[in-house]
């Protein structure tokens, strides 16, 4: 399926979402964000059977941040640089955050600015060896956005998050792996094969359980210990009523692989 500057392919429970504006290294525009929201409608449509989402970029880049072409004008008006965040970016980021299935990002090239934010939203972040991350905002006189100031210190600590943002230096994929920012790094030509293999494995899993795992870890960073215990209890109750839990127990007792349906 083709949307505005976005492609979506669904096969066997795996949805592959491709940022598709390679002429500008998949820089994000309002048009692309509209396409992403339309694509997410399809991902979240139950009849499409999506049980894992993979995001990547077309061509040589993952996403080089916001598309600045056409941003300037001669009207003399001072633009509100934060307005697009509230109206366009945040709704999309919230949909990724609340997705009811595992989410993988396959970073096939530069991930800069808000593109870095998109990449780090993945439950599993897989990178090509040639890829790199860049907090580019200081280069144009802005502050980091796309939730990166929430995500980065929780992944690599305040000192490294501050360094990346204040200095605006490139962070190569292999250094990002050493820092614990990403999960795995592959040779460039192997990245998508490895990402799709992992996605198919997750798509064959207990989808409600995996969505519950996502929710627990997203909320754990802000919850108190008692709040987290209560959330675990609530979700465990819900999972205990699921068909996948019954199948998992039956398969364990019968010493065979479980056949999860995502129910």
């Amino acid at each position: 399926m083709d949307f505005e500057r976005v492609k979506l392919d669904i096969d066997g429970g795996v949805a592959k979402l491709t940022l598709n504006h390679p002429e500008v290294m998949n820089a994000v525009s309002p048009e692309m964000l509209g396409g992403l929201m339309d694509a997410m409608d399809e991902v979240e449509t139950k009849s499409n059977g999506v049980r894992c989402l993979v995001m990547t970029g077309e061509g040589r880049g993952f996403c080089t941040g916001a598309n600045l072409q056409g941003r300037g004008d001669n009207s003399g008006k001072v633009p509100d640089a934060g307005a697009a965040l509230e109206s366009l970016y945040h709704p999309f980021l919230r949909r990724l955050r609340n997705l009811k299935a595992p989410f993988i990002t396959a970073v096939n090239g530069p991930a800069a600015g808000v593109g870095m934010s998109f990449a780090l939203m993945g439950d599993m972040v897989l990178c090509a060896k040639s890829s790199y991350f860049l907090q580019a905002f200081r280069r144009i006189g802005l502050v980091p956005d796309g939730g990166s100031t929430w995500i980065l210190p929780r992944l690599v600590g305040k000192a490294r998050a501050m360094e990346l943002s204040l200095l605006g230096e490139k962070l190569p994929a292999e250094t990002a792996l050493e820092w614990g920012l990403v999960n795995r790094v592959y040779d460039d030509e192997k990245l998508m094969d490895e990402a799709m293999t992992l996605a198919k494995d997750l798509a064959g899993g207990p989808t409600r359980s995996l969505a519950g795992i996502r929710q627990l870890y997203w909320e754990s960073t802000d919850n108190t210990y008692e709040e987290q215990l209560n959330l675990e209890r609530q979700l465990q109750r819900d999972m205990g009523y699921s068909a996948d839990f019954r199948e998992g127990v039956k398969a364990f007792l019968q010493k065979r692989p479980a056949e999860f349906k995502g129910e």
Side-chain angles (χ1 to χ4, degrees):
M1 289 175 269
D2 291 324
F3 301 96
E4 189 72 25
R5 299 179 181 175
V6 172
K7 293 190 298 186
L8 181 67
D9 300 288
I10 301 176
D11 181 26
V14 175
K16 179 184 174 186
L17 181 64
T18 305
L19 307 178
N20 189 29
H21 197 186
E23 297 84 358
V24 291
M25 301 282 277
N26 304 315
V28 185
S29 60
E31 294 80 9
M32 178 183 282
L33 286 163
L36 286 168
M37 292 294 275
D38 290 340
M40 289 301 293
D41 288 342
E42 296 296 329
V43 169
E44 294 172 347
T45 297
K46 190 172 182 180
S47 61
N48 285 329
V50 174
R51 296 171 64 187
C52 184
L53 175 63
V54 179
M55 177 190 282
T56 192
E58 184 68 27
R60 298 180 297 111
F62 177 77
C63 175
T64 52
N67 190 340
L68 300 179
Q69 295 180 11
R71 284 292 184 92
D73 62 49
N74 298 316
S75 67
K77 295 180 180 179
V78 178
D80 180 353
L85 295 176
E86 184 177 6
S87 62
L88 298 174
Y89 287 87
H90 293 174
F92 173 62
L93 291 167
R94 290 187 181 107
R95 290 183 83 169
L96 293 179
R97 152 73 172 87
N98 296 317
L99 185 67
K100 301 302 184 184
F103 174 44
I104 297 170
T105 49
V107 185
N108 58 305
V114 78
M116 182 173 176
S117 302
F118 284 4
L120 297 181
M121 286 292 292
D123 305 318
M124 297 284 291
V125 183
L126 314 183
C127 298
K129 281 186 177 179
S130 67
S131 66
Y132 63 83
F133 297 91
L134 178 65
Q135 285 287 87
F137 301 94
R138 60 147 286 169
R139 298 188 177 194
I140 56 172
L142 292 177
V143 298
D145 61 28
S148 61
T149 59
W150 188 92
I151 291 175
L152 270 175
R154 286 165 168 78
L155 291 176
V156 298
K158 179 185 173 184
R160 282 175 167 164
M162 192 74 80
E163 177 183 346
L164 288 170
S165 302
L166 289 176
L167 299 183
E169 296 175 339
K170 291 180 181 179
L171 180 68
E174 292 184 321
T175 305
L177 181 64
E178 292 173 7
W179 284 15
L181 191 67
V182 307
N183 297 96
R184 300 176 186 180
V185 175
Y186 298 104
D187 291 336
D188 287 29
E189 65 275 11
K190 294 182 179 178
L191 173 65
M192 287 313 303
D193 285 343
E194 295 289 349
M196 296 308 288
T197 296
L198 177 59
K200 289 174 184 176
D201 177 65
L202 289 170
T207 309
R208 286 185 61 193
S209 168
L210 300 182
I213 291 169
R214 293 191 85 233
Q215 181 181 349
L216 283 167
Y217 282 109
W218 269 105
E219 297 195 21
S220 69
T221 50
D222 291 324
N223 279 349
T224 66
Y225 181 68
E226 286 299 323
E227 287 170 336
Q228 196 67 11
L229 287 178
N230 290 336
L231 182 59
E232 289 176 352
R233 187 262 182 271
Q234 173 191 330
L235 292 182
Q236 202 71 293
R237 177 194 61 201
D238 295 344
M239 300 311 150
Y241 292 135
S242 70
D244 276 346
F245 172 64
R246 293 193 295 275
E247 163 62 12
V249 172
K250 184 185 296 184
F252 175 79
L253 294 174
Q254 296 175 353
K255 296 182 172 56
R256 59 171 176 81
E259 297 180 7
F260 295 118
K261 303 297 183 184
E263 301 171 353

